[in-house]
Amino acid sequence: MDLAYIPSPSTGVIHLGPIPLRGYAFCIILGVFVAVWLGNKRWIARGGTAGTVADIAVWAVPFGLVGGRLYHVITDYQLYFSEGENWVDAFKIWEGGLGIWGAIAFGAVGAWIGCRRRGIPLPAYADAIAPGIALAQAIGRWGNWFNQELYGKPTDLPWALKITESANREAGLYHPTFLYESLWCVGVAFLVIWADRRFKLGHGRAFALYVAAYCAGRGWIEYMRVDEAHHILGLRLNVWTAIIVFVLAVVYMVVSARVRPGREEIVEPRSRKPVETGKTDAEDAADAGTGKDASDASDDAADPDDAGDSHDVENGAGNRAGSAAKG
């Protein structure tokens, strides 16, 4: 008799009147909100403005969802395009099936577009949102719990996951790999936050640390899973992906630290509203650079001879200051 185990939900859908609330979709949406919230706090702490992270996320999130689904459908094409399968199911994202590798890759493309539109360096933005992405993954993995998918090998441990029987699964107690990965991602988020504070990571190195740390955990967690997957040289495809991406992330951290040490001083260009003075921006900048004010003007009027000399000198300084302001 099993005295302890983690039960699975009897259904992955909760109906709020006529509106179906799917657990998988809810976890994904909640994860996105957490990522944007934490990313916004970190972006402001780096010198950015509030709302920028959300604005760029409008590009990154849709790209990430499309990329995640594409990776899943391509790597598990037999689930949708084999004989007896319905290819339309490839579009049913609410039933589960998002590959993190495709989500991050396509999400980065969307983020790059958003950053380009605002004149923001993508590596700085990636550093700010890295811990939030890890937390979003931690929350999103609970969507697999609602769908009773991506569990591990059979086990009799007290924290075993109870799976009910269906057409595609056998009832029993299994390793809750969704929980292992969720906890691992929480640890990755705290690791990145700590390392970023301790070593002042910049130029994308905080994001690379997140990627490397996640891959290290995904490798052994993936090895425990028993769901159908393609194998190469005896290892699951996602294990090979984790190994390759881990190596690339570590190489990036090492090379980046040597080529571009330190952290970006400015992560977002500031916009300044023009002051209504009746002068051009260059003239305002020139006056600010020379310190000329109303009293100087009155002195010039009182002494015309000196005013000419003073005016020439100040114009020279003002022109230089104005040029600096335009640059």
Side-chain angles (χ1 to χ4, degrees), residues 280-327:
T280 64
D281 292 341
E283 289 173 336
D284 284 336
D287 288 347
T290 60
K292 183 174 181 178
D293 54 19
S295 62
D296 294 332
S298 62
D299 290 343
D300 291 344
D303 192 346
D305 295 333
D306 292 342
D309 296 337
S310 174
H311 184 68
D312 291 340
V313 174
E314 288 176 354
N315 270 346
N319 290 334
R320 289 191 296 272
S323 299
K326 288 185 178 179

Side-chain angles (χ1 to χ4, degrees), residues 222-223 229-240 243:
E222 185 75 22
Y223 186 75
H230 296 287
H231 287 72
I232 301 176
L233 299 178
L235 292 179
R236 293 166 65 96
L237 174 61
N238 282 332
V239 174
W240 283 110
I243 293 173

Side-chain angles (χ1 to χ4, degrees), residues 155-219:
T155 182
D156 57 357
L157 292 171
W159 56 83
L161 175 66
K162 184 175 183 179
I163 296 296
T164 59
E165 187 173 1
S166 75
N168 300 320
R169 59 177 182 259
E170 182 179 347
L173 298 176
Y174 301 89
H175 277 284
T177 51
F178 85 89
L179 178 60
Y180 298 160
E181 186 168 336
S182 179
L183 294 175
W184 183 269
C185 287
V186 171
V188 170
F190 281 105
L191 170 65
V192 174
I193 292 174
W194 170 82
D196 194 25
R197 291 177 178 176
R198 175 67 177 79
F199 302 106
K200 303 297 182 183
L201 301 176
H203 301 288
R205 289 188 287 276
F207 184 82
L209 175 61
Y210 144 72
V211 172
Y214 171 74
C215 290
R218 180 63 184 267

Side-chain angles (χ1 to χ4, degrees), residues 24 35 44 50 58 75 79 105 110 123 127 131 136 142-143 177 184 203 215 224 264 268 311 326:
Y24 187 86
I44 293 174
V58 170
T75 56
L79 299 177
D127 285 342
W142 284 87
T177 51
W184 183 269
H203 301 288
C215 290
M224 299 178 64
E264 301 94 337
E268 183 172 4
H311 184 68
K326 288 185 178 179

Side-chain angles (χ1 to χ4, degrees), residues 56 59-65 67-68 101-113 122 125 129:
I56 297 176
W59 288 90
V61 172
F63 271 76
L65 290 175
W101 316 111
I104 294 297
F106 274 63
V109 173
W112 176 79
I113 295 174
L122 177 60
Y125 180 81
I129 65 172

Side-chain angles (χ1 to χ4, degrees), residues 259-289:
V259 176
R260 306 188 70 182
R263 174 186 282 182
E264 301 94 337
E265 294 183 2
I266 300 176
V267 298
E268 183 172 4
R270 302 286 186 143
S271 59
R272 293 189 298 179
K273 295 181 180 180
V275 179
E276 298 296 336
T277 60
K279 300 181 180 181
T280 64
D281 292 341
E283 289 173 336
D284 284 336
D287 288 347

